[in-house]
Amino acid sequence: MSDDQEGALWLANHNNVTKRATLSMSNGLRNVPAYFTQIVRLAGVLLLVTLSAAPGHGAESLDRSVTQLILSIAPSWDAPGGRMQLFRRTGGGWEADGTAWPVLYGRNGLIWGRGVLGTTEPGPHKTERDKRSPAGVFRIGTIYTYDAALPAGSDFPFHTVTEADAWVDDSTLPEYNRFVQFPDPAKRPAWFEKEKMRQHDAAYRWLVEIRHNADPPVPGAGSAIFFHIRRGVDRPTAGCTTMAEADLERVIRWLRTSENPHFALLPKREYEDKWKPWGLPAPKEAQELLRPLQEPAGAPKR
């Protein structure tokens, strides 16, 4: 038998074996109970649900339940100040609710934070004491105040700060980035005095909680981020967003729990890239925030 004939015979035998194996596998699959197929499909669905709920797999756009949005746009990542404006969602989309006003950020500018949107963005993210304000979209939490009540016309959850209250910014503690209370002075930990909220500081008369790094807190990813009263027109912060007292009271009076208020803070270029996929007000509605802004006199030289 020639080499060519031997090759042809081997190929024919190989093809017959392959066909028998394929037929056997096909018959075997037909014998698999239907419920097993259903279990496999269900497992796939559960895997997708688990991945979508895991950290780093947040919503891709602002939830439709959010009908109040506080939007602030900075000229750049390194800008220590920008503008802020209120928006309300109607049947026709977002509409500005009043004019914009100036605000101050961290003295080193902005950096991606951990909130509803922006958590998984590439690039550097906020760390404790980096003197940058977290960028992204965040839920609004509780209002903390030295007063017994909020400004007239307000209707939002608040807490009157007492000598027993603290907000922890020490990332080595299990209470990191949480509001805690120690009513009994004898049971207050050694760190309490440094972390207590009742500082008799006029800038902290109103603290509107921005829920950065809150659900749950990640040690070292930044803490105690609020709106509060500015200390001066050219004095940026350690990471909070500040403004004139009258503007802050305006925000407080405007907030309503039923409208699920959120805060969005972005540099101009990132806003232009993300307003549509994130479901934010369009540039046409946010044009006041996009006008060129002269940086405060206290801005760091770059």
Side-chain angles (χ1 to χ4, degrees):
M1 183 180 293
S2 68
D3 290 341
D4 289 341
Q5 290 173 323
E6 287 182 353
L9 180 61
W10 178 88
L11 182 59
N13 290 335
H14 174 74
N15 287 340
N16 287 335
V17 171
T18 302
K19 289 177 182 177
R20 287 196 298 271
T22 302
L23 180 61
S24 176
M25 184 179 295
S26 176
N27 290 335
L29 288 175
R30 279 198 291 268
N31 292 330
V32 174
Y35 71 82
F36 180 80
T37 303
Q38 294 174 347
I39 290 174
V40 172
R41 289 175 178 169
L42 179 59
V45 172
L46 290 175
L47 178 60
L48 290 175
V49 171
T50 301
L51 287 174
S52 65
H57 291 78
E60 294 181 356
S61 64
L62 203 58
D63 192 89
R64 293 293 300 177
S65 67
V66 179
T67 55
Q68 281 188 329
L69 181 69
I70 305 166
L71 176 61
S72 187
I73 298 177
S76 68
W77 282 110
D78 295 330
R83 292 191 183 93
M84 177 178 283
Q85 194 169 14
L86 307 177
F87 290 84
R88 180 171 269 110
R89 197 200 305 258
T90 65
W94 291 106
E95 294 181 359
D97 196 350
T99 58
W101 65 90
V103 293
L104 295 168
Y105 312 127
R107 60 180 58 92
N108 290 336
L110 277 53
I111 194 167
W112 288 118
R114 297 186 70 251
V116 176
L117 296 170
T119 303
T120 60
E121 289 296 316
H125 283 65
K126 183 162 178 62
T127 57
E128 193 68 38
R129 295 180 178 83
D130 61 5
K131 295 180 175 59
R132 289 183 180 269
S133 295
V137 178
F138 310 89
R139 292 188 296 117
I140 299 295
T142 303
I143 299 173
Y144 297 89
T145 176
Y146 292 160
D147 293 12
L150 296 180
S154 304
D155 184 13
F156 202 77
F158 77 98
H159 172 79
T160 299
V161 176
T162 71
E163 297 291 345
D165 300 337
W167 196 287
V168 182
D169 67 2
D170 185 339
S171 61
T172 66
L173 298 173
E175 300 88 353
Y176 177 68
N177 199 29
R178 296 185 190 277
F179 169 73
V180 293
Q181 294 179 295
F182 294 92
D184 186 349
K187 295 182 179 180
R188 290 172 185 166
W191 51 260
F192 177 83
E193 194 64 23
K194 177 180 176 294
E195 309 283 11
K196 69 180 183 180
M197 296 179 72
R198 191 85 185 188
Q199 298 286 350
H200 304 285
D201 185 336
Y204 295 157
R205 180 185 179 190
W206 314 109
L207 292 171
V208 179
E209 180 192 0
I210 302 169
R211 291 190 63 77
H212 157 74
N213 190 30
D215 302 306
V218 172
S223 63
I225 303 298
F226 300 95
F227 297 149
H228 66 78
I229 300 169
R230 68 189 182 191
R231 300 182 186 280
V233 297
D234 59 353
R235 292 187 62 184
T237 74
C240 291
T241 295
T242 64
M243 61 204 79
E245 184 170 6
D247 292 324
L248 183 55
E249 290 186 359
R250 171 183 171 189
V251 172
I252 292 171
R253 288 191 180 95
W254 181 79
L255 292 170
R256 291 294 183 271
T257 305
S258 61
E259 298 197 49
N260 194 14
H262 280 50
F263 170 52
L265 172 58
L266 289 169
K268 181 176 180 289
R269 181 172 295 177
E270 280 62 32
Y271 161 76
E272 291 170 342
D273 288 342
K274 298 184 180 300
W275 72 266
K276 192 168 186 177
W278 282 12
L280 304 178
K284 180 180 178 181
E285 283 72 42
Q287 55 186 320
E288 280 193 57
L289 300 175
L290 297 172
R291 293 202 313 265
L293 177 75
Q294 183 176 357
E295 293 185 351
K301 302 299 182 183
R302 290 183 291 278

